[in-house]
């Protein structure tokens, strides 16, 4: 059974930084693409950015160079480094991973429950 668990959320002041982690556990063959979503209060869930198996990344426009996604495949963990946080970044951040359970098998998408980020003065 595959599980994704996020950590690192918390409350910070505007301009501060946070680093979130998303750890994948369980039995599987390979992790392919991964990414982060967020959902602000009263708003729809939105994509923050993605990291592909080769380490390349793609971000949504609102990130504006403030966020960096990385991954450590040896630890089955993905990170979201967030700098210059603003109140509008407040929300529940969750991660997903496209995982190949067995070699040459189908790829399923798994999702964590999220970690809360609150930015306020």
């Amino acid at each position: 059974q595959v599980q994704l668990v996020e950590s690192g959320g918390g409350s910070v002041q505007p301009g501060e930084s946070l680093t979130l982690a998303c750890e994948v556990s369980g039995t599987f063959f390979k992790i392919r693409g991964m990414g982060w979503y967020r959902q602000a209060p009263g708003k729809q869930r939105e994509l923050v950015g993605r990291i592909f198996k080769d380490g390349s990344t793609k971000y949504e426009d609102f990130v504006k160079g403030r966020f960096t996604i990385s991954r450590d495949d040896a630890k089955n963990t993905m990170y979201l480094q967030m700098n210059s946080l603003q109140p509008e970044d407040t929300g529940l951040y969750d991660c997903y991973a496209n995982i190949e359970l067995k070699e040459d098998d189908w790829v399923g998408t798994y999702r964590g429950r999220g970690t809360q980020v609150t930015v306020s003065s």
Side-chain angles (χ1 to χ4, degrees):
Q1 184 177 359
V2 174
Q3 283 190 318
L4 275 66
V5 178
E6 300 91 342
S7 60
S11 295
V12 296
Q13 294 189 341
E16 293 186 339
S17 300
L18 274 178
T19 298
L20 308 183
C22 170
E23 182 177 5
V24 182
S25 63
T27 302
F28 54 88
F29 174 67
K30 184 183 294 184
I31 301 173
R32 295 188 176 276
M34 305 177 76
W36 290 94
Y37 277 85
R38 72 181 188 183
Q39 185 167 21
K43 294 187 177 181
Q44 286 192 331
R45 184 169 171 255
E46 62 182 352
L47 180 66
V48 175
R50 293 173 284 173
I51 184 166
F52 301 95
K53 180 60 180 172
D54 63 1
S56 61
T57 55
K58 187 172 183 180
Y59 302 95
E60 295 302 294
D61 289 343
F62 65 79
V63 169
K64 297 178 182 177
R66 299 181 298 132
F67 296 178
T68 302
I69 298 175
S70 60
R71 60 191 287 173
D72 183 341
D73 289 337
K75 296 181 179 180
N76 295 326
T77 301
M78 173 181 62
Y79 303 95
L80 176 63
Q81 171 70 42
M82 303 185 291
N83 299 324
S84 302
L85 284 163
Q86 299 301 316
E88 53 265 33
D89 295 314
T90 293
L92 183 68
Y93 285 69
D94 69 88
C95 63
Y96 76 88
N98 297 323
I99 296 175
E100 189 175 344
L101 293 182
K102 297 180 180 179
E103 187 173 6
D104 296 329
D105 200 352
W106 66 284
V107 177
T109 299
Y110 297 82
R111 178 181 164 186
R113 293 186 175 185
T115 184
Q116 180 67 34
V117 172
T118 301
V119 185
S120 69
S121 55

